[in-house]
Amino acid sequence: MSLIIRVDPVNFKPEDLFPAAEAVKSGKTVAFPTETVYGLGADAFNGEACLKIFKIKNRQPDNPLIVHINSFEQLYSVAREVILEDKLKRVWPGPLTVILKKRPEVPVEVTAGLDTVAVRMPAHLVALKLIELSGTPIAAPSANISGRPSPTSGKTVIEELNGRADVIIDAGDTFFGVESTIVDLTKQPPTLLRPGPFTIDELTSIFGKIEVPPEATGISDFERPLAPGMKYRHYAPEKDLYLLVDNSLLPELVRRIDRKVAFLLTEENYMKVKDLARDNVTFIILGTEYNLYTVARNLFESLRKIDRLDVEFAVIQSFKEEGIGLAIMNRIRKASGRKFIRFYPF
Ligand code: TXA
Ligand code: MG
């Protein structure tokens, strides 16, 4: 059994986190909340401790971890060349990970042998306090078994990792629900590696021109992995998931389909089609078209729900690839394994 610590995400006492900080200091693993998704962490300067994360998650050893910091002093302890510091001060704490040249003290287990390191300062009080009390940066990937959707609630982390992680901090739901934006600052211009809650418009307003390779959005079928982790199957439910490329097909599809199926859609689309469905159809409402951050927040838990329902497969609507919609579609494309529906297929 893991030690489970339940705290309010804002009104918690530092003492509540002492056992978690002790665990980090003694080379153990701790699952903790961030503003994006939960992470599974260990002391970023302890290679052996970080190796445990790979074992627990069944993660490929060539897929490096993100180092979580709570101060700029810690940034200097992991990064050799800190560029654009004034700009980083404007975005952190926040859901942006940057790639910088690493210091030799960062163990190979964390960076998978690269000469760069991924760093971010999470905007979550529990994460920041845990790092402070541990007295060390914390290396952490998302707290899921590799290939599964990232956990966005303490409950899901417990389901996924109880008995595997030494400590699990449950602080309820995360805020954004999709992982941080990753931008490579060792490239000129800075290059997007993974879209996330920190949007391209926001990136541009801080860093100026940003390179957005088609592979980073997931729109391109060209499968050159930009970050080592991008070549692996991701976010996927066990059951088949199809992306509906054209949402105007939704009414016809819902009316005619005779298999047991789940539709993942916005409230607005649900209102359009709910009366057309028979009882072989289950609807999962993701959020509202008017604020796609609501969809981001519910996406991963909804993907997990598909496997618990009595359905054969699931169909998810598409979203405009702008703002947070870019990150949402990127995760959906990966979760669906690029299976899509362009016309009425059955
Ligand atoms: O929001 C997040 O970023 C969450 C929370 C826990 O902070 N973490 C997260 O970690 O999503 P993970 O491991 O699931 O994704 C890290 C990604 C991987 O695709 C990995 O390949 C990439 O970051 N990465 C790590 N270090 C890198 C480096 N030096 N160069 C390029 N990509 C790197
Ligand atoms: Mg992950």
Side-chain angles (χ1 to χ4, degrees), residues 57 142 144 150:
K57 281 184 55 108
S142 48
N144 52 284
S150 302

Side-chain angles (χ1 to χ4, degrees), residues 11-301:
N11 290 299
F12 62 92
K13 295 196 287 298
E15 303 89 274
D16 300 337
L17 301 181
F18 284 177
E22 282 310 313
V24 173
K25 285 184 195 169
S26 58
K28 293 183 173 159
T29 55
V30 176
F32 64 98
T34 79
E35 79 280 38
T36 55
V37 302
Y38 275 76
L40 175 62
D43 180 352
F45 288 119
N46 183 337
E48 224 170 285
C50 291
L51 210 52
K52 293 181 187 167
I53 296 172
F54 287 84
K55 292 228 177 75
I56 293 171
K57 281 184 55 108
N58 195 19
R59 185 181 177 95
Q60 297 293 321
D62 68 348
N63 190 3
L65 311 179
I66 294 175
V67 175
H68 296 70
I69 56 171
N70 77 336
S71 64
F72 278 81
E73 288 84 86
Q74 284 192 342
L75 177 61
Y76 296 115
S77 73
V78 295
R80 183 151 49 87
E81 286 165 27
V82 177
I83 45 173
L84 308 174
E85 180 189 327
D86 54 323
K87 300 194 191 303
L88 293 175
K89 287 200 161 132
R90 289 168 60 197
V91 301
W92 282 344
L96 178 67
T97 297
V98 299
I99 308 294
L100 294 167
K101 293 271 184 220
K102 84 187 252 304
R103 288 186 68 91
E105 292 80 9
V106 182
V108 292
E109 287 83 356
V110 171
T111 57
L114 299 175
D115 67 349
T116 54
V117 61
V119 195
R120 85 180 192 95
M121 193 187 291
H124 196 297
L125 294 176
V126 172
L128 291 172
K129 186 54 84 179
L130 175 68
I131 299 165
E132 183 195 320
L133 293 172
S134 304
T136 180
I138 296 180
S142 48
N144 52 284
I145 304 299
S146 287
R148 312 244 314 131
S150 302
T152 57
S153 77
K155 187 169 167 277
T156 301
V157 181
I158 293 168
E159 275 166 26
E160 190 103 343
L161 295 182
N162 195 5
R164 299 189 192 229
D166 292 302
V167 180
I168 297 174
I169 304 174
D170 174 357
D173 295 342
T174 61
F175 307 121
F176 288 113
V178 291
E179 305 85 347
S180 62
T181 305
I182 306 181
V183 69
D184 188 345
L185 294 184
T186 69
K187 300 270 161 59
Q188 208 30 260
T191 301
L192 183 75
L193 300 187
R194 177 174 77 183
F198 204 82
T199 62
I200 289 178
D201 282 351
E202 288 169 317
L203 280 173
T204 308
S205 75
I206 301 278
F207 296 101
K209 189 179 155 37
I210 296 285
E211 176 78 19
V212 182
E215 307 89 291
T217 60
I219 297 171
S220 158
D221 282 339
F222 181 50
E223 284 284 340
R224 181 170 67 89
L226 285 176
M230 287 168 59
K231 62 178 177 285
Y232 298 113
R233 186 183 138 98
H234 258 97
Y235 316 118
E238 304 281 328
K239 288 180 189 158
D240 283 342
L241 175 71
Y242 294 87
L243 170 62
L244 184 62
V245 175
D246 177 357
N247 291 343
S248 71
L249 288 176
L250 205 52
E252 189 192 357
L253 202 55
V254 168
R255 187 158 9 92
R256 287 175 51 183
I257 209 156
D258 56 5
R259 316 252 300 267
K260 282 190 173 175
V261 57
F263 282 94
L264 285 73
L265 70 197
T266 56
E267 165 79 17
E268 290 78 12
N269 278 327
Y270 168 70
M271 293 308 280
K272 281 187 207 152
V273 299
K274 68 178 171 49
D275 297 329
L276 305 175
R278 284 164 290 147
D279 58 8
N280 55 314
V281 171
T282 308
F283 293 108
I284 300 178
I285 296 175
L286 293 166
T288 167
E289 298 281 345
Y290 296 109
N291 180 353
L292 292 187
Y293 284 91
T294 59
V295 173
R297 239 187 125 124
N298 287 316
L299 182 64
F300 288 150
E301 289 297 327

